Amino acid sequence: MTQSNDVLIFDTTLRDGEQSPGATMTHDEKLEIAEMLDDMGVDIIEAGFPIASEGDFQAVSDIAKLSKSATICGLSRANYKDIDRCWEAVKHAKSPRIHTFIGTSPLHRAIPNLTMDEMAERIHDTVTHARNLCDNVQWSPMDATRTEWDYLCRVVEIAVKAGATTINIPDTVGYTAPRESADLIRNLIATVPGADEVIFATHCHNDLGMATANSLAAVEGGARQIECTINGLGERAGNTALEEVVMALKVRNDIMPYSTKIDTRKIMNISRRVATVSGFAVQYNKAIVGKNAFAHESGIHQDGMLKNRETFEVMKPEDIGLSGTSLPLGKHSGRAALRAKLNELGFDLADNQLNDVFVRFKDLADRKKEVFDDDLMALVYQNDTEDDRLKLKSLRVVCGTEGPQQADMVMVVDGADVETSATGDGPVDATFNAVKAIFPHGARLQLYQVSAVTEGTDAQATVSVRMEEDGRIATGQSADTDTVVASAKAYINALNRLLVRREKSEPGYDVKGVSYKDT
Ligand code: KIV
Ligand code: ZN
C-alpha cells in the first residue's frame, strides 16, 4: 500500500480526556461534544470505555446511533467480555471500531503476571475475537515506548496477522522524545511483515511537555493517525492537543506536507465548550486556544501588528474561528440579524432556542456597552429554559469588609414565589445558602469556576457549577455582568438539571426526596 499524506484525526476527549480526575461529563454533554467533533471533521471519535460503567456504555451507544460521518470507537481491555460489551455499544454506528489494548512493557506485563509468550497468545486471541465481530479493529500495546523493541515488533506482527486494521503506539507516560518517536514507528513499518497493510497511529501523553512534538515526529516516521484531545485534556499532564497538531500541520505544511479533514474554524468553539463542560479552564498562554494566544501587550509588538499582522502572528485568529470583532448589533436589532451573526459563529439554533438567546441578548445589550462575539457565545451556552422548575427572580447581596455577607433572594419554585435571606462566608456562599434555604437538597457542589468572558470591568462572568447527588452529576452554566448573579443562576441551573435527571429515573421523586413544600 503506498502511503498517502492524509492524516486521520482520532479524538479521545470523551475517553482519555474524561479520565482526567474531575473531568466527568454528563451524558448530554458527551453527546453534544461528539456532535461537535463529528461536525468539525474528526475521523474517529473514541466515545468511551463501554465496560467501565452503565453510563459509559449508554453514552457510547447513543453517540454511535447519532453519528454522521465519524467512525465511532470504544475502548476494551484484552478480554472477551470487554470486547463484547464494546461491540454492543459501537455496533449502532454507521462506521464502528473496536479498540482493544494490553500493557506490553516489562512493568505492565508483570501486573497480570504473564510471560512474553502468554501475552502474545492473549493478543492473538483477543484481536481475533474483536475482528470476528467488527471489521475495523484497533490494537494498542500500552506503554509501547517502554517496551523492548524486538518484543514490540513481535506483538505488533501478531496483532496484524490476527486482523487489526490500525496499530496504535501509545507513549502512555509521556516518556519518548521526538527523534525516538519517529524512529520507533519507522522501525515498526520497516520490520513488521504486513505493516504496510495497516495504519499506524500515535498516542502521546504530555508528562514532559513533548506530546505534540512527539505526535508530529511519529507522522514523519510514517504514522497516519494522530490520537488527541480537545485542549489536551487527559490524565496527569494530558494528551496531545487536537488544535495544536492540526494547526501545526496547517501552518507548517511547507515542511510537514500532511493534511487533515478538520475544519479549523470550529476549533475555538469546541475548545470553549470542552473547557466549560469538563470544568478544566484553558490556561491563558496555551498554544492556539489560550486567551493570550492572539494578544499583544508590548509596544513593539503592538506597533508591528498595526503595520503588518504577520510580524507577530503565524496564523490568523479567524483560522480557528475567532473573529475578535465587536458585534454590530444594538438593542434595536432584530432576530434575523442575531440569527445571521450566530450562524457566522457556527451556531444553527432552532427557533425556540433563538428566542431564548434573543431575550438574553436584549437584556445584556441594555446593560453592557459593547457586546462581543464571546459574550454572545456565553449567552448561547446559558442553558436555562422556560420549563425549569426553579428560577431566580431577584437577588440583593450585601458584601464588603464587614461580614457576614447576606443574600436576600426571591426564587420562583414550580410557579410560586419563595423568599428568603441567608448569610454566608462571602457573597457567593450567602447566595448558595439562600438557594438551599428555599430549596433544601442533598446535592454536593463538586466544582465552582468563574471566568471573565471579555475584557473590562463590565465584562460578563461565566460561571460553571458541577453538582453530584447519588452518583448523578449535573453541570450548570450561566453568564452575567454580575458575578454573584451568574453564580446563583449557574447553581440553580445545575439543580434544575439534577431534578430532570432524578425525575426521569424516579418519577415523582425530588432531589433527596425533599421538596420545598415539605419543609
Ligand atoms: O495512554 C494509553 O496507553 C492509552 C491506551 C489505552 C491506548 O490511553
Ligand atoms: Zn492515553
Side-chain angles (χ1 to χ4, degrees):
M1 182 161 70
T2 44
Q3 248 202 347
S4 112
N5 277 2
D6 295 338
V7 173
L8 300 173
I9 296 297
F10 175 110
D11 182 278
T12 182
T13 306
L14 298 173
R15 198 279 297 168
D16 214 330
E18 216 224 0
Q19 269 171 235
S20 358
T24 325
M25 297 174 213
T26 65
H27 183 83
D28 293 352
E29 286 162 353
K30 287 184 189 174
L31 262 48
E32 182 192 340
I33 299 296
E35 190 180 357
M36 291 174 99
L37 291 168
D38 209 339
D39 288 345
M40 84 188 289
V42 162
D43 299 279
I44 305 112
I45 298 172
E46 187 162 52
F49 197 168
I51 196 99
S53 69
E54 189 49 42
D56 253 51
F57 177 84
Q58 216 44 61
V60 178
S61 118
D62 287 350
I63 289 169
K65 285 176 195 153
L66 296 170
S67 59
K68 298 174 208 156
S69 330
T71 294
I72 305 300
C73 172
L75 185 68
S76 49
R77 289 166 298 186
N79 66 66
Y80 292 0
K81 201 164 160 227
D82 269 46
I83 293 170
D84 291 345
R85 190 78 176 139
C86 179
W87 173 240
E88 281 308 306
V90 297
K91 70 177 184 194
H92 308 285
K94 291 190 190 86
S95 166
R97 173 181 292 189
I98 296 175
H99 178 189
T100 182
F101 76 99
I102 193 162
T104 51
S105 65
L107 283 165
H108 285 273
R109 288 199 301 269
I111 294 173
N113 198 17
L114 293 179
T115 64
M116 284 179 159
D117 288 344
E118 286 164 348
M119 182 163 284
E121 194 181 332
R122 168 91 69 97
I123 292 164
H124 170 267
D125 293 350
T126 49
V127 174
T128 306
H129 183 73
R131 187 56 207 260
N132 286 338
L133 296 168
C134 179
D135 59 14
N136 188 340
V137 172
Q138 169 164 329
W139 180 72
S140 297
M142 186 169 72
D143 207 12
T145 53
R146 292 191 298 170
T147 300
E148 305 87 332
W149 280 30
D150 53 348
Y151 187 60
L152 191 62
C153 286
R154 177 177 165 201
V155 288
V156 166
E157 183 179 344
I158 289 170
V160 171
K161 284 205 177 115
T165 43
T166 300
I167 300 291
N168 175 38
I169 301 300
D171 183 28
T172 306
V173 289
Y175 180 71
T176 196
R179 192 179 308 150
E180 185 183 67
S181 175
D183 287 348
L184 181 56
I185 301 281
R186 203 173 280 125
N187 178 63
L188 285 164
I189 294 177
T191 316
V192 173
D196 57 344
E197 298 299 323
V198 300
I199 291 196
F200 277 83
T202 172
H203 175 114
C204 298
H205 283 263
N206 203 30
D207 298 65
L208 293 172
M210 292 191 280
T212 296
N214 288 337
S215 299
L216 294 170
V219 171
E220 307 266 20
R224 288 296 177 268
Q225 174 178 302
I226 299 179
E227 307 210 351
C228 48
T229 59
I230 302 294
N231 299 341
L233 200 65
E235 304 234 38
R236 307 181 310 279
N239 291 60
T240 297
L242 179 146
E243 60 278 7
E244 291 179 13
V245 280
V246 167
M247 289 311 290
L249 289 177
K250 186 178 167 109
V251 173
R252 292 313 312 271
N253 207 256
D254 52 338
I255 54 165
M256 294 184 287
Y258 313 102
S259 49
T260 75
K261 275 194 357 230
I262 301 296
D263 178 352
T264 62
R265 290 164 309 167
K266 305 218 157 140
I267 283 178
M268 207 55 224
N269 212 356
I270 192 164
S271 160
R272 287 191 172 118
R273 194 62 189 140
V274 167
T276 305
V277 300
S278 67
F280 276 60
V282 173
Q283 77 198 48
Y284 275 30
N285 58 342
K286 165 94 175 59
I288 322 291
V289 291
K291 232 183 167 73
N292 290 352
F294 295 94
H296 304 275
E297 177 78 29
S298 86
I300 294 173
H301 285 216
Q302 286 180 345
D303 185 52
M305 284 296 293
L306 289 171
K307 293 183 174 129
N308 181 351
R309 185 197 59 78
E310 287 180 23
T311 49
F312 290 102
E313 274 178 7
V314 296
M315 62 201 139
K316 296 199 277 298
E318 301 85 68
D319 292 342
I320 59 158
L322 257 182
S323 76
T325 57
S326 67
L327 184 71
L329 296 179
K331 56 184 173 186
H332 302 297
S333 307
R335 277 180 179 68
L338 179 65
R339 185 186 285 286
K341 186 70 197 177
L342 287 171
N343 286 348
E344 200 182 292
L345 292 173
F347 297 101
D348 184 15
L349 301 189
D351 286 348
N352 58 337
Q353 289 171 305
L354 183 75
N355 288 345
D356 289 343
V357 177
F358 188 65
V359 172
R360 292 182 208 131
F361 162 70
K362 286 282 179 180
D363 178 48
L364 184 66
D366 268 341
R367 290 183 289 135
K368 194 170 183 292
K369 278 202 295 285
E370 283 179 295
V371 178
F372 295 95
D373 292 355
D374 283 354
D375 287 315
L376 201 54
M377 290 195 198
L379 295 185
V380 174
Y381 289 135
Q382 209 169 312
N383 42 14
D384 42 341
T385 72
E386 270 310 300
D387 302 332
D388 286 345
R389 287 183 54 194
L390 313 174
K391 294 187 177 109
L392 179 70
K393 185 164 184 187
S394 69
L395 174 66
R396 178 162 295 280
V397 177
V398 180
C399 64
T401 50
E402 305 297 317
Q405 284 70 27
Q406 180 174 322
D408 301 327
M409 177 181 283
V410 182
M411 268 171 68
V412 183
V413 184
D414 291 332
D417 284 8
V418 188
E419 197 175 331
T420 201
S421 286
T423 55
D425 193 6
V428 174
D429 192 44
T431 301
F432 287 4
N433 287 342
V435 176
K436 259 192 219 150
I438 291 177
F439 192 81
H441 58 84
R444 212 169 47 83
L445 184 68
Q446 276 193 335
L447 174 118
Y448 168 70
Q449 185 183 290
V450 184
S451 49
V453 175
T454 52
E455 312 295 316
T457 48
D458 69 346
Q460 287 196 99
T462 0
V463 177
S464 304
V465 157
R466 187 166 60 227
M467 318 265 292
E468 184 271 337
E469 204 241 4
D470 288 345
R472 288 184 179 79
I473 291 177
T475 54
Q477 280 110 39
S478 198
D480 199 282
T481 48
D482 184 317
T483 309
V484 185
V485 171
S487 304
K489 287 185 184 163
Y491 189 83
I492 293 170
N493 185 225
L495 276 181
N496 275 316
R497 298 177 81 189
L498 216 44
L499 280 172
V500 170
R501 226 148 268 161
R502 173 68 85 183
E503 278 162 8
K504 260 190 200 151
S505 53
E506 295 170 50
Y509 192 97
D510 264 320
V511 174
K512 270 287 179 243
V514 184
S515 101
Y516 75 99
K517 288 175 188 154
D518 301 320
T519 59

